[in-house]
Amino acid sequence: MSAPLPATTGDRIFATTLGCLPTRAISRAALSLAGARRRWLKNALIRAFLKGYPAIDMSEAAEPDAYAYDSFNAFFTRRLASGARPAPDDATALVCPVDGTLGALGDIEAGQLFQTKGVAYDVASLLDDSTLAARFTGGRYATFYLAPSNYHRVHMPSAGRLQATRYVPGRLFGVNPRCVRAVSRLFARNERLVSLFETENGPMALVLVGAFIVGGIHDVATGRVCPPHRRAARAQRFNPADHAYERGDEMGHFCLGSSVIALFGADVMAFDDVLAPGMPVKLNAPLGHCR
């Protein structure tokens, strides 16, 4: 198991302060503002964002002119230019599903994942399905954090066929590293979308975790999953033949940033030795290899 360090006092104060805010109301307002199409307003938002995150490289985007997008959200969820993230030639390589920062990664031990060092949560709670969780007994997992400056579309680590999705209602805690260190079982408590795929090497799940200020989660197969932020879980099954994805294909995106958790079945893959919590990763960079 490889996980970030425990929370500091500052982390706990930060997370507690955020937790006292009306997270849903603020997130709804943020989504509305991000979708505004008034030219002066969306340009002002984009200009302020680029000033706050000067490292953003618009030359990687399919549309490199930041002000050509019709809303801040369209800019924020911009697609990459063709060829910007080439996949490795090795057909056995599993790849990173996002641009972002690698969080915890390792083995699923006794049905649990590690959020931070010494803090675990169970797969059944994360997936909201104990039967499905059993399919990942003895498997592996990796968590990825998408910062505001990152590319915000989620892609396939390997080829697979979509079998089912499950929307799980929950809180909207922040998922930045400070909150991850401070809020127990955060990923199993936040709103999320669980997507189950069947691959040549067994089951794979991608969990898109909502968060504070995240205005929505979108799924390629079904469109907008949330909002609305529902009170009950919602499951949907698919004919796998109708929803086949190749490695690197887009499977969903966030409206504003969040986290993704990838789960793999037992004896499916081994992580590359160079990976460690806290390191930046890029879409389609090697994550590990199929066994």
PDB file of all heavy atoms in Angstrom, residues 63-96:
ATOM      1  N   GLU A  63      -9.207  23.614 -29.225  1.00  0.00           N
ATOM      2  CA  GLU A  63      -9.415  25.033 -29.548  1.00  0.00           C
ATOM      3  C   GLU A  63      -8.478  25.836 -28.658  1.00  0.00           C
ATOM      4  O   GLU A  63      -8.742  26.033 -27.475  1.00  0.00           O
ATOM      5  CB  GLU A  63     -10.870  25.432 -29.314  1.00  0.00           C
ATOM      6  CG  GLU A  63     -11.145  26.929 -29.419  1.00  0.00           C
ATOM      7  CD  GLU A  63     -10.604  27.542 -30.691  1.00  0.00           C
ATOM      8  OE1 GLU A  63     -11.227  27.340 -31.748  1.00  0.00           O
ATOM      9  OE2 GLU A  63      -9.544  28.215 -30.630  1.00  0.00           O
ATOM     10  N   PRO A  64      -7.334  26.300 -29.197  1.00  0.00           N
ATOM     11  CA  PRO A  64      -6.332  26.966 -28.351  1.00  0.00           C
ATOM     12  C   PRO A  64      -6.695  28.376 -27.908  1.00  0.00           C
ATOM     13  O   PRO A  64      -6.063  28.917 -27.003  1.00  0.00           O
ATOM     14  CB  PRO A  64      -5.079  26.966 -29.229  1.00  0.00           C
ATOM     15  CG  PRO A  64      -5.595  26.897 -30.628  1.00  0.00           C
ATOM     16  CD  PRO A  64      -6.859  26.088 -30.570  1.00  0.00           C
ATOM     17  N   ASP A  65      -7.709  28.996 -28.529  1.00  0.00           N
ATOM     18  CA  ASP A  65      -8.127  30.345 -28.151  1.00  0.00           C
ATOM     19  C   ASP A  65      -9.085  30.239 -26.970  1.00  0.00           C
ATOM     20  O   ASP A  65     -10.241  29.833 -27.121  1.00  0.00           O
ATOM     21  CB  ASP A  65      -8.804  31.037 -29.332  1.00  0.00           C
ATOM     22  CG  ASP A  65      -9.256  32.459 -29.005  1.00  0.00           C
ATOM     23  OD1 ASP A  65      -9.037  32.913 -27.858  1.00  0.00           O
ATOM     24  OD2 ASP A  65      -9.854  33.110 -29.886  1.00  0.00           O
ATOM     25  N   ALA A  66      -8.629  30.605 -25.792  1.00  0.00           N
ATOM     26  CA  ALA A  66      -9.443  30.456 -24.586  1.00  0.00           C
ATOM     27  C   ALA A  66     -10.751  31.217 -24.676  1.00  0.00           C
ATOM     28  O   ALA A  66     -11.765  30.789 -24.116  1.00  0.00           O
ATOM     29  CB  ALA A  66      -8.643  30.918 -23.368  1.00  0.00           C
ATOM     30  N   TYR A  67     -10.759  32.344 -25.379  1.00  0.00           N
ATOM     31  CA  TYR A  67     -11.950  33.179 -25.426  1.00  0.00           C
ATOM     32  C   TYR A  67     -12.912  32.784 -26.537  1.00  0.00           C
ATOM     33  O   TYR A  67     -13.978  33.392 -26.692  1.00  0.00           O
ATOM     34  CB  TYR A  67     -11.541  34.643 -25.557  1.00  0.00           C
ATOM     35  CG  TYR A  67     -10.675  35.078 -24.401  1.00  0.00           C
ATOM     36  CD1 TYR A  67      -9.299  35.203 -24.544  1.00  0.00           C
ATOM     37  CD2 TYR A  67     -11.224  35.305 -23.139  1.00  0.00           C
ATOM     38  CE1 TYR A  67      -8.494  35.555 -23.470  1.00  0.00           C
ATOM     39  CE2 TYR A  67     -10.428  35.668 -22.063  1.00  0.00           C
ATOM     40  CZ  TYR A  67      -9.063  35.790 -22.233  1.00  0.00           C
ATOM     41  OH  TYR A  67      -8.270  36.135 -21.170  1.00  0.00           O
ATOM     42  N   ALA A  68     -12.585  31.742 -27.291  1.00  0.00           N
ATOM     43  CA  ALA A  68     -13.480  31.248 -28.334  1.00  0.00           C
ATOM     44  C   ALA A  68     -14.577  30.353 -27.761  1.00  0.00           C
ATOM     45  O   ALA A  68     -15.577  30.083 -28.443  1.00  0.00           O
ATOM     46  CB  ALA A  68     -12.683  30.470 -29.382  1.00  0.00           C
ATOM     47  N   TYR A  69     -14.426  29.916 -26.528  1.00  0.00           N
ATOM     48  CA  TYR A  69     -15.432  29.053 -25.912  1.00  0.00           C
ATOM     49  C   TYR A  69     -16.643  29.889 -25.501  1.00  0.00           C
ATOM     50  O   TYR A  69     -16.504  31.039 -25.094  1.00  0.00           O
ATOM     51  CB  TYR A  69     -14.840  28.341 -24.698  1.00  0.00           C
ATOM     52  CG  TYR A  69     -13.727  27.387 -25.077  1.00  0.00           C
ATOM     53  CD1 TYR A  69     -12.397  27.802 -25.080  1.00  0.00           C
ATOM     54  CD2 TYR A  69     -14.010  26.077 -25.455  1.00  0.00           C
ATOM     55  CE1 TYR A  69     -11.370  26.923 -25.441  1.00  0.00           C
ATOM     56  CE2 TYR A  69     -12.991  25.200 -25.818  1.00  0.00           C
ATOM     57  CZ  TYR A  69     -11.674  25.628 -25.806  1.00  0.00           C
ATOM     58  OH  TYR A  69     -10.668  24.776 -26.172  1.00  0.00           O
ATOM     59  N   ASP A  70     -17.843  29.293 -25.614  1.00  0.00           N
ATOM     60  CA  ASP A  70     -19.057  30.084 -25.384  1.00  0.00           C
ATOM     61  C   ASP A  70     -19.443  30.218 -23.918  1.00  0.00           C
ATOM     62  O   ASP A  70     -20.417  30.904 -23.600  1.00  0.00           O
ATOM     63  CB  ASP A  70     -20.228  29.536 -26.202  1.00  0.00           C
ATOM     64  CG  ASP A  70     -20.589  28.097 -25.850  1.00  0.00           C
ATOM     65  OD1 ASP A  70     -20.049  27.567 -24.859  1.00  0.00           O
ATOM     66  OD2 ASP A  70     -21.395  27.491 -26.579  1.00  0.00           O
ATOM     67  N   SER A  71     -18.714  29.563 -23.024  1.00  0.00           N
ATOM     68  CA  SER A  71     -18.939  29.732 -21.593  1.00  0.00           C
ATOM     69  C   SER A  71     -17.669  29.331 -20.857  1.00  0.00           C
ATOM     70  O   SER A  71     -16.784  28.688 -21.429  1.00  0.00           O
ATOM     71  CB  SER A  71     -20.109  28.856 -21.105  1.00  0.00           C
ATOM     72  OG  SER A  71     -19.764  27.478 -21.177  1.00  0.00           O
ATOM     73  N   PHE A  72     -17.599  29.708 -19.573  1.00  0.00           N
ATOM     74  CA  PHE A  72     -16.453  29.287 -18.781  1.00  0.00           C
ATOM     75  C   PHE A  72     -16.419  27.766 -18.672  1.00  0.00           C
ATOM     76  O   PHE A  72     -15.354  27.158 -18.730  1.00  0.00           O
ATOM     77  CB  PHE A  72     -16.521  29.904 -17.377  1.00  0.00           C
ATOM     78  CG  PHE A  72     -15.416  29.437 -16.475  1.00  0.00           C
ATOM     79  CD1 PHE A  72     -14.161  30.028 -16.521  1.00  0.00           C
ATOM     80  CD2 PHE A  72     -15.612  28.384 -15.595  1.00  0.00           C
ATOM     81  CE1 PHE A  72     -13.122  29.587 -15.711  1.00  0.00           C
ATOM     82  CE2 PHE A  72     -14.584  27.935 -14.770  1.00  0.00           C
ATOM     83  CZ  PHE A  72     -13.344  28.539 -14.832  1.00  0.00           C
ATOM     84  N   ASN A  73     -17.582  27.143 -18.536  1.00  0.00           N
ATOM     85  CA  ASN A  73     -17.608  25.692 -18.403  1.00  0.00           C
ATOM     86  C   ASN A  73     -17.112  25.003 -19.670  1.00  0.00           C
ATOM     87  O   ASN A  73     -16.417  23.985 -19.603  1.00  0.00           O
ATOM     88  CB  ASN A  73     -19.014  25.198 -18.066  1.00  0.00           C
ATOM     89  CG  ASN A  73     -19.005  23.755 -17.619  1.00  0.00           C
ATOM     90  OD1 ASN A  73     -18.284  23.378 -16.705  1.00  0.00           O
ATOM     91  ND2 ASN A  73     -19.784  22.930 -18.291  1.00  0.00           N
ATOM     92  N   ALA A  74     -17.468  25.544 -20.836  1.00  0.00           N
ATOM     93  CA  ALA A  74     -16.976  24.975 -22.095  1.00  0.00           C
ATOM     94  C   ALA A  74     -15.452  25.084 -22.162  1.00  0.00           C
ATOM     95  O   ALA A  74     -14.769  24.159 -22.622  1.00  0.00           O
ATOM     96  CB  ALA A  74     -17.615  25.687 -23.276  1.00  0.00           C
ATOM     97  N   PHE A  75     -14.913  26.212 -21.699  1.00  0.00           N
ATOM     98  CA  PHE A  75     -13.461  26.370 -21.628  1.00  0.00           C
ATOM     99  C   PHE A  75     -12.858  25.389 -20.629  1.00  0.00           C
ATOM    100  O   PHE A  75     -11.853  24.728 -20.910  1.00  0.00           O
ATOM    101  CB  PHE A  75     -13.130  27.813 -21.221  1.00  0.00           C
ATOM    102  CG  PHE A  75     -11.811  27.989 -20.543  1.00  0.00           C
ATOM    103  CD1 PHE A  75     -10.622  27.945 -21.266  1.00  0.00           C
ATOM    104  CD2 PHE A  75     -11.743  28.188 -19.162  1.00  0.00           C
ATOM    105  CE1 PHE A  75      -9.394  28.103 -20.627  1.00  0.00           C
ATOM    106  CE2 PHE A  75     -10.524  28.354 -18.526  1.00  0.00           C
ATOM    107  CZ  PHE A  75      -9.351  28.306 -19.260  1.00  0.00           C
ATOM    108  N   PHE A  76     -13.474  25.269 -19.474  1.00  0.00           N
ATOM    109  CA  PHE A  76     -12.931  24.424 -18.414  1.00  0.00           C
ATOM    110  C   PHE A  76     -12.912  22.949 -18.824  1.00  0.00           C
ATOM    111  O   PHE A  76     -11.998  22.206 -18.467  1.00  0.00           O
ATOM    112  CB  PHE A  76     -13.759  24.607 -17.146  1.00  0.00           C
ATOM    113  CG  PHE A  76     -13.125  24.035 -15.922  1.00  0.00           C
ATOM    114  CD1 PHE A  76     -12.228  24.781 -15.175  1.00  0.00           C
ATOM    115  CD2 PHE A  76     -13.415  22.746 -15.505  1.00  0.00           C
ATOM    116  CE1 PHE A  76     -11.629  24.250 -14.036  1.00  0.00           C
ATOM    117  CE2 PHE A  76     -12.827  22.217 -14.365  1.00  0.00           C
ATOM    118  CZ  PHE A  76     -11.930  22.963 -13.631  1.00  0.00           C
ATOM    119  N   THR A  77     -13.923  22.521 -19.573  1.00  0.00           N
ATOM    120  CA  THR A  77     -14.015  21.121 -20.004  1.00  0.00           C
ATOM    121  C   THR A  77     -13.501  20.931 -21.429  1.00  0.00           C
ATOM    122  O   THR A  77     -13.871  19.971 -22.099  1.00  0.00           O
ATOM    123  CB  THR A  77     -15.469  20.622 -19.895  1.00  0.00           C
ATOM    124  OG1 THR A  77     -16.312  21.418 -20.735  1.00  0.00           O
ATOM    125  CG2 THR A  77     -15.970  20.704 -18.458  1.00  0.00           C
ATOM    126  N   ARG A  78     -12.639  21.824 -21.870  1.00  0.00           N
ATOM    127  CA  ARG A  78     -12.110  21.778 -23.229  1.00  0.00           C
ATOM    128  C   ARG A  78     -11.464  20.420 -23.544  1.00  0.00           C
ATOM    129  O   ARG A  78     -10.878  19.777 -22.675  1.00  0.00           O
ATOM    130  CB  ARG A  78     -11.068  22.892 -23.422  1.00  0.00           C
ATOM    131  CG  ARG A  78      -9.890  22.759 -22.472  1.00  0.00           C
ATOM    132  CD  ARG A  78      -9.057  24.031 -22.412  1.00  0.00           C
ATOM    133  NE  ARG A  78      -7.968  23.893 -21.432  1.00  0.00           N
ATOM    134  CZ  ARG A  78      -8.119  24.127 -20.125  1.00  0.00           C
ATOM    135  NH1 ARG A  78      -9.293  24.481 -19.654  1.00  0.00           N
ATOM    136  NH2 ARG A  78      -7.096  23.976 -19.309  1.00  0.00           N
ATOM    137  N   ARG A  79     -11.577  20.020 -24.781  1.00  0.00           N
ATOM    138  CA  ARG A  79     -10.944  18.783 -25.232  1.00  0.00           C
ATOM    139  C   ARG A  79      -9.498  19.049 -25.621  1.00  0.00           C
ATOM    140  O   ARG A  79      -9.119  20.169 -25.988  1.00  0.00           O
ATOM    141  CB  ARG A  79     -11.697  18.198 -26.421  1.00  0.00           C
ATOM    142  CG  ARG A  79     -13.026  17.568 -26.040  1.00  0.00           C
ATOM    143  CD  ARG A  79     -13.688  16.904 -27.233  1.00  0.00           C
ATOM    144  NE  ARG A  79     -14.763  16.025 -26.809  1.00  0.00           N
ATOM    145  CZ  ARG A  79     -16.004  16.400 -26.570  1.00  0.00           C
ATOM    146  NH1 ARG A  79     -16.328  17.681 -26.714  1.00  0.00           N
ATOM    147  NH2 ARG A  79     -16.930  15.540 -26.198  1.00  0.00           N
ATOM    148  N   LEU A  80      -8.697  18.006 -25.561  1.00  0.00           N
ATOM    149  CA  LEU A  80      -7.312  18.093 -25.995  1.00  0.00           C
ATOM    150  C   LEU A  80      -7.225  17.995 -27.509  1.00  0.00           C
ATOM    151  O   LEU A  80      -8.070  17.368 -28.164  1.00  0.00           O
ATOM    152  CB  LEU A  80      -6.485  16.965 -25.376  1.00  0.00           C
ATOM    153  CG  LEU A  80      -6.218  17.040 -23.878  1.00  0.00           C
ATOM    154  CD1 LEU A  80      -5.515  15.772 -23.420  1.00  0.00           C
ATOM    155  CD2 LEU A  80      -5.380  18.264 -23.530  1.00  0.00           C
ATOM    156  N   ALA A  81      -6.186  18.572 -28.053  1.00  0.00           N
ATOM    157  CA  ALA A  81      -5.916  18.428 -29.481  1.00  0.00           C
ATOM    158  C   ALA A  81      -5.555  16.985 -29.787  1.00  0.00           C
ATOM    159  O   ALA A  81      -4.999  16.265 -28.946  1.00  0.00           O
ATOM    160  CB  ALA A  81      -4.769  19.357 -29.883  1.00  0.00           C
ATOM    161  N   SER A  82      -5.870  16.547 -30.979  1.00  0.00           N
ATOM    162  CA  SER A  82      -5.540  15.190 -31.395  1.00  0.00           C
ATOM    163  C   SER A  82      -4.031  14.972 -31.298  1.00  0.00           C
ATOM    164  O   SER A  82      -3.243  15.797 -31.771  1.00  0.00           O
ATOM    165  CB  SER A  82      -6.009  14.964 -32.837  1.00  0.00           C
ATOM    166  OG  SER A  82      -5.658  13.675 -33.284  1.00  0.00           O
ATOM    167  N   GLY A  83      -3.635  13.893 -30.652  1.00  0.00           N
ATOM    168  CA  GLY A  83      -2.219  13.582 -30.520  1.00  0.00           C
ATOM    169  C   GLY A  83      -1.530  14.228 -29.349  1.00  0.00           C
ATOM    170  O   GLY A  83      -0.336  14.020 -29.134  1.00  0.00           O
ATOM    171  N   ALA A  84      -2.271  14.991 -28.518  1.00  0.00           N
ATOM    172  CA  ALA A  84      -1.639  15.678 -27.388  1.00  0.00           C
ATOM    173  C   ALA A  84      -1.194  14.714 -26.300  1.00  0.00           C
ATOM    174  O   ALA A  84      -0.274  15.012 -25.540  1.00  0.00           O
ATOM    175  CB  ALA A  84      -2.600  16.722 -26.815  1.00  0.00           C
ATOM    176  N   ARG A  85      -1.857  13.572 -26.164  1.00  0.00           N
ATOM    177  CA  ARG A  85      -1.511  12.580 -25.147  1.00  0.00           C
ATOM    178  C   ARG A  85      -1.433  11.194 -25.795  1.00  0.00           C
ATOM    179  O   ARG A  85      -2.327  10.367 -25.630  1.00  0.00           O
ATOM    180  CB  ARG A  85      -2.556  12.558 -24.022  1.00  0.00           C
ATOM    181  CG  ARG A  85      -2.702  13.838 -23.242  1.00  0.00           C
ATOM    182  CD  ARG A  85      -1.548  14.032 -22.259  1.00  0.00           C
ATOM    183  NE  ARG A  85      -1.811  15.173 -21.393  1.00  0.00           N
ATOM    184  CZ  ARG A  85      -1.591  16.429 -21.750  1.00  0.00           C
ATOM    185  NH1 ARG A  85      -1.077  16.687 -22.941  1.00  0.00           N
ATOM    186  NH2 ARG A  85      -1.857  17.424 -20.926  1.00  0.00           N
ATOM    187  N   PRO A  86      -0.389  10.923 -26.552  1.00  0.00           N
ATOM    188  CA  PRO A  86      -0.303   9.616 -27.220  1.00  0.00           C
ATOM    189  C   PRO A  86      -0.173   8.474 -26.215  1.00  0.00           C
ATOM    190  O   PRO A  86       0.511   8.597 -25.191  1.00  0.00           O
ATOM    191  CB  PRO A  86       0.960   9.740 -28.082  1.00  0.00           C
ATOM    192  CG  PRO A  86       1.774  10.802 -27.406  1.00  0.00           C
ATOM    193  CD  PRO A  86       0.789  11.765 -26.817  1.00  0.00           C
ATOM    194  N   ALA A  87      -0.841   7.374 -26.492  1.00  0.00           N
ATOM    195  CA  ALA A  87      -0.748   6.191 -25.644  1.00  0.00           C
ATOM    196  C   ALA A  87       0.533   5.426 -25.965  1.00  0.00           C
ATOM    197  O   ALA A  87       1.061   5.515 -27.072  1.00  0.00           O
ATOM    198  CB  ALA A  87      -1.961   5.290 -25.864  1.00  0.00           C
ATOM    199  N   PRO A  88       1.069   4.664 -25.008  1.00  0.00           N
ATOM    200  CA  PRO A  88       2.275   3.878 -25.276  1.00  0.00           C
ATOM    201  C   PRO A  88       2.008   2.798 -26.320  1.00  0.00           C
ATOM    202  O   PRO A  88       0.879   2.325 -26.487  1.00  0.00           O
ATOM    203  CB  PRO A  88       2.610   3.267 -23.908  1.00  0.00           C
ATOM    204  CG  PRO A  88       1.351   3.328 -23.125  1.00  0.00           C
ATOM    205  CD  PRO A  88       0.601   4.520 -23.620  1.00  0.00           C
ATOM    206  N   ASP A  89       3.054   2.418 -27.021  1.00  0.00           N
ATOM    207  CA  ASP A  89       2.922   1.385 -28.046  1.00  0.00           C
ATOM    208  C   ASP A  89       2.643   0.013 -27.451  1.00  0.00           C
ATOM    209  O   ASP A  89       2.023  -0.842 -28.095  1.00  0.00           O
ATOM    210  CB  ASP A  89       4.201   1.322 -28.900  1.00  0.00           C
ATOM    211  CG  ASP A  89       4.409   2.583 -29.726  1.00  0.00           C
ATOM    212  OD1 ASP A  89       3.399   3.220 -30.090  1.00  0.00           O
ATOM    213  OD2 ASP A  89       5.575   2.928 -30.004  1.00  0.00           O
ATOM    214  N   ASP A  90       3.089  -0.210 -26.232  1.00  0.00           N
ATOM    215  CA  ASP A  90       2.921  -1.499 -25.575  1.00  0.00           C
ATOM    216  C   ASP A  90       1.434  -1.776 -25.321  1.00  0.00           C
ATOM    217  O   ASP A  90       0.790  -1.095 -24.530  1.00  0.00           O
ATOM    218  CB  ASP A  90       3.684  -1.495 -24.249  1.00  0.00           C
ATOM    219  CG  ASP A  90       3.662  -2.838 -23.536  1.00  0.00           C
ATOM    220  OD1 ASP A  90       2.957  -3.760 -24.010  1.00  0.00           O
ATOM    221  OD2 ASP A  90       4.345  -2.961 -22.502  1.00  0.00           O
ATOM    222  N   ALA A  91       0.904  -2.788 -25.983  1.00  0.00           N
ATOM    223  CA  ALA A  91      -0.516  -3.100 -25.874  1.00  0.00           C
ATOM    224  C   ALA A  91      -0.895  -3.624 -24.498  1.00  0.00           C
ATOM    225  O   ALA A  91      -2.078  -3.614 -24.130  1.00  0.00           O
ATOM    226  CB  ALA A  91      -0.915  -4.121 -26.936  1.00  0.00           C
ATOM    227  N   THR A  92       0.083  -4.078 -23.700  1.00  0.00           N
ATOM    228  CA  THR A  92      -0.227  -4.594 -22.360  1.00  0.00           C
ATOM    229  C   THR A  92      -0.257  -3.492 -21.303  1.00  0.00           C
ATOM    230  O   THR A  92      -0.596  -3.749 -20.150  1.00  0.00           O
ATOM    231  CB  THR A  92       0.799  -5.656 -21.927  1.00  0.00           C
ATOM    232  OG1 THR A  92       2.067  -5.031 -21.682  1.00  0.00           O
ATOM    233  CG2 THR A  92       0.945  -6.742 -22.982  1.00  0.00           C
ATOM    234  N   ALA A  93       0.111  -2.261 -21.687  1.00  0.00           N
ATOM    235  CA  ALA A  93       0.186  -1.164 -20.719  1.00  0.00           C
ATOM    236  C   ALA A  93      -1.203  -0.639 -20.378  1.00  0.00           C
ATOM    237  O   ALA A  93      -2.033  -0.406 -21.261  1.00  0.00           O
ATOM    238  CB  ALA A  93       1.043  -0.039 -21.269  1.00  0.00           C
ATOM    239  N   LEU A  94      -1.444  -0.463 -19.089  1.00  0.00           N
ATOM    240  CA  LEU A  94      -2.597   0.283 -18.621  1.00  0.00           C
ATOM    241  C   LEU A  94      -2.162   1.734 -18.459  1.00  0.00           C
ATOM    242  O   LEU A  94      -1.022   2.006 -18.066  1.00  0.00           O
ATOM    243  CB  LEU A  94      -3.081  -0.260 -17.278  1.00  0.00           C
ATOM    244  CG  LEU A  94      -3.694  -1.662 -17.314  1.00  0.00           C
ATOM    245  CD1 LEU A  94      -3.763  -2.236 -15.914  1.00  0.00           C
ATOM    246  CD2 LEU A  94      -5.067  -1.628 -17.934  1.00  0.00           C
ATOM    247  N   VAL A  95      -3.048   2.677 -18.748  1.00  0.00           N
ATOM    248  CA  VAL A  95      -2.643   4.080 -18.776  1.00  0.00           C
ATOM    249  C   VAL A  95      -3.434   4.910 -17.776  1.00  0.00           C
ATOM    250  O   VAL A  95      -4.529   4.529 -17.340  1.00  0.00           O
ATOM    251  CB  VAL A  95      -2.812   4.665 -20.197  1.00  0.00           C
ATOM    252  CG1 VAL A  95      -1.909   3.937 -21.181  1.00  0.00           C
ATOM    253  CG2 VAL A  95      -4.264   4.612 -20.658  1.00  0.00           C
ATOM    254  N   CYS A  96      -2.871   6.054 -17.413  1.00  0.00           N
ATOM    255  CA  CYS A  96      -3.548   6.975 -16.512  1.00  0.00           C
ATOM    256  C   CYS A  96      -4.817   7.513 -17.182  1.00  0.00           C
ATOM    257  O   CYS A  96      -4.773   7.908 -18.356  1.00  0.00           O
ATOM    258  CB  CYS A  96      -2.635   8.136 -16.145  1.00  0.00           C
ATOM    259  SG  CYS A  96      -1.227   7.659 -15.108  1.00  0.00           S
TER     260      CYS A  96
END
